[in-house]
Amino acid sequence: MIFPTEIHAMQLPEWITSERWGEHTLLRVNTTWSTFCISLYGAHALSYVPCGQKDLLWWSTRAFAQKGKPIRGGVPLCWPGFAENTEPFHGTARLQDWILVEAEMTEDYARLLLEPTLKHEVLQVSLEVLVRDRLVLRLHSQNLGSEVMELTQALHTYLQVSAWNDIALTGLDGCLFVDKLNAGSEGVQAGVLHPQEGIDRIYVHSGAVKVLDPGLNRVIWVRKAASGSTVVWHPAEKAATIADMDSAEAEHFICVEAANTHKDKVSLLPGDSWSLETVLSAEPLHA
């Protein structure tokens, strides 16, 4: 269950601007290193553009901009549950209004802290964002109850690529995976992953993934912390059946997600905290 809570939004500093997108308010963060955009609906990161580079995130032009529907693209927050075993699907966080409660600019980064306007009955959640020449997203959870709470979650990151079936993912070699498109059967990744058909896999993996993209001549690094699962997803031809996704545009993303799934479910004792983190950065593939 969720309940109203008294949280007050702060006044925006000059380096943050706001604008409307449909029924949602977007915040744009401007720094010397990069620009960043986040929706207050769902605390949903939508765009991250390092200076001199293309956006690292993909955001559907058909995304719904209305309350009650999740936003397609960017980094949806799947919390306090991930995938089909939750109600609503992927949890409540991405379907709630959030507010900005802290913002600071230092010599090293711009920092934001967002909290939902509704609170879970026992779990407290917040999203911390660090913006500089890399993007850091930290999803903080704390058990305020008197019993152990189990948690699955994901930072469901849509990365922008030249073509999803013309990239290579390194860092997963030798990892066990659960193939959700093949009745949950298990396998072991052999070598570099070259997606060529629809993919929905949970890798038992706690390290970094590199997305090698010759079409954009760049490497996207997906680093993470407090995550024992990495999810890789693309719907391939099924994109045409998804209402908020254009099949031609869908050629240009791949999801690589820092997660805690049923393979590494988090058990929070009373008073305990957990911070799921992903760090996104890019560099040239060929100098």
Side-chain angles (χ1 to χ4, degrees):
M1 296 178 64
I2 52 177
F3 303 95
T5 186
E6 289 295 327
I7 301 176
H8 299 285
M10 62 170 290
Q11 184 174 355
L12 296 180
E14 62 181 10
W15 45 274
I16 302 179
T17 58
S18 66
E19 62 189 73
R20 294 294 292 178
W21 173 57
E23 297 179 3
H24 305 326
T25 298
L26 308 184
L27 300 183
R28 292 193 181 273
V29 177
N30 301 287
T31 77
T32 58
W33 310 284
S34 55
T35 60
F36 172 70
C37 179
I38 189 167
S39 170
L40 291 181
Y41 180 71
H44 193 130
L46 294 171
S47 172
Y48 172 67
V49 186
C51 289
Q53 298 185 37
K54 292 183 179 295
D55 206 323
L56 269 62
L57 299 178
W58 179 91
W59 175 14
S60 173
T61 61
R62 292 189 179 181
F64 298 122
Q66 61 193 90
K67 300 295 177 67
K69 294 188 176 182
I71 300 171
R72 176 71 65 183
V75 188
L77 304 182
C78 302
W79 184 98
F82 172 73
E84 63 277 355
N85 294 324
T86 60
E87 179 58 41
F89 183 72
H90 281 336
T92 57
R94 64 183 186 150
L95 300 173
Q96 294 184 39
D97 288 318
W98 294 56
I99 61 172
L100 180 67
V101 294
E102 294 180 17
E104 64 173 327
M105 178 73 78
T106 74
E107 293 181 355
D108 299 317
Y109 53 75
R111 176 183 173 273
L112 312 180
L113 184 69
L114 299 98
E115 296 180 359
T117 58
L118 298 176
K119 65 180 181 180
H120 189 278
E121 58 182 338
V122 292
L123 289 174
Q124 178 175 285
V125 65
S126 61
L127 179 70
E128 183 181 16
V129 182
L130 301 181
V131 182
R132 53 162 301 141
D133 59 351
R134 62 190 60 200
L135 176 66
V136 181
L137 301 175
R138 295 182 184 132
L139 188 59
H140 301 295
S141 302
Q142 185 177 17
N143 182 3
L144 301 181
S146 58
E147 299 180 357
V148 176
M149 291 293 296
E150 290 193 333
L151 177 67
T152 59
Q153 57 185 340
L155 295 163
H156 195 320
T157 307
Y158 289 73
L159 300 173
Q160 184 172 175
V161 295
S162 58
W164 70 274
N165 55 1
D166 193 29
I167 58 174
L169 280 66
T170 67
L172 298 169
D173 182 34
C175 291
L176 177 75
F177 65 79
V178 177
D179 189 344
K180 296 178 68 179
L181 298 183
N182 192 22
S185 63
E186 295 188 346
V188 175
Q189 180 63 38
V192 175
L193 175 61
H194 295 276
Q196 295 297 307
E197 55 187 20
I199 186 170
D200 191 357
R201 293 179 180 177
I202 298 172
Y203 284 88
V204 179
H205 169 258
S206 58
V209 171
K210 288 199 297 183
V211 181
L212 311 180
D213 187 348
L216 292 180
N217 188 36
R218 75 176 176 186
V219 178
I220 297 179
W221 281 88
V222 182
R223 298 176 173 92
K224 59 180 190 163
S227 165
S229 296
T230 296
V231 179
V232 180
W233 178 72
H234 193 279
E237 69 279 357
K238 291 184 179 179
T241 68
I242 300 175
D244 55 352
M245 185 180 291
D246 178 84
S247 57
E249 289 182 358
E251 295 293 313
H252 305 299
F253 81 81
I254 188 74
C255 285
V256 182
E257 311 165 31
N260 300 118
T261 69
H262 70 282
K263 283 294 190 180
D264 65 317
K265 191 176 297 185
V266 177
S267 293
L268 288 177
L269 297 174
D272 278 0
S273 299
W274 191 270
S275 296
L276 175 66
E277 175 180 296
T278 193
V279 183
L280 306 177
S281 61
E283 61 189 36
L285 179 59
H286 302 293

